[in-house]
Amino acid sequence: RQPLEGGRCVALLDVDHMTIFGSIVHTGCSDGIDDAALQLNDTLLEALSSRGVRDIYFFTDMTLSTASVQERQSLVEIVRGRYDVEVHGILTPCDIAWEGIDEAEAMH
């Protein structure tokens, strides 16, 4: 679909089982990521890119753990690097908990 006049398309993508399958694995590869373990849904991202979608928000049900946060940060870096898109954020159910707590408490 084309955006409304003067507007632009924004994609809201689920991370787990839609954008990535499995998990991002950090290895000794030159870019630090094992692409075989990543299983990025390139077909989806290429289709969006070819249709002019340049703005993405991810959503996920991740918990606040260091590994989950690092995995999502890696996903954002990879998608920005491979496609001409801007990832504006990652929305989680935990977002409502950020009000009034610091990062150390959230990761506990």
Side-chain angles (χ1 to χ4, degrees):
R1 252 184 146 176
Q2 294 298 319
L4 297 174
E5 187 176 330
R8 54 189 208 209
C9 292
V10 175
L12 180 61
L13 303 176
D14 188 5
V15 172
D16 302 301
H17 312 295
M18 180 181 189
T19 306
I20 60 171
F21 303 97
S23 61
I24 296 175
V25 177
H26 296 270
T27 66
C29 297
S30 61
D31 63 359
I33 304 295
D34 180 354
D35 285 338
L38 173 62
Q39 301 176 31
L40 184 63
N41 190 344
D42 287 306
T43 303
L44 170 66
L45 294 166
E46 287 170 4
L48 291 170
S49 182
S50 71
R51 287 168 177 80
V53 177
R54 301 286 181 259
D55 298 288
I56 294 176
Y57 285 90
F58 288 118
F59 66 92
T60 180
D61 63 355
M62 76 173 201
T63 56
L64 291 174
S65 69
T66 301
S68 293
V69 171
Q70 289 174 343
E71 182 178 81
R72 294 334 191 242
Q73 289 172 334
S74 294
L75 173 64
V76 169
E77 291 173 21
I78 292 166
V79 169
R80 283 179 177 158
R82 289 187 186 175
Y83 302 95
D84 183 22
V85 299
E86 178 58 41
V87 178
H88 294 281
I90 302 173
L91 311 171
T92 76
C94 296
D95 288 344
I96 61 171
W98 284 109
E99 184 71 32
I101 63 173
D102 61 19
E103 183 179 350
E105 185 179 355
M107 295 295 203
H108 180 61

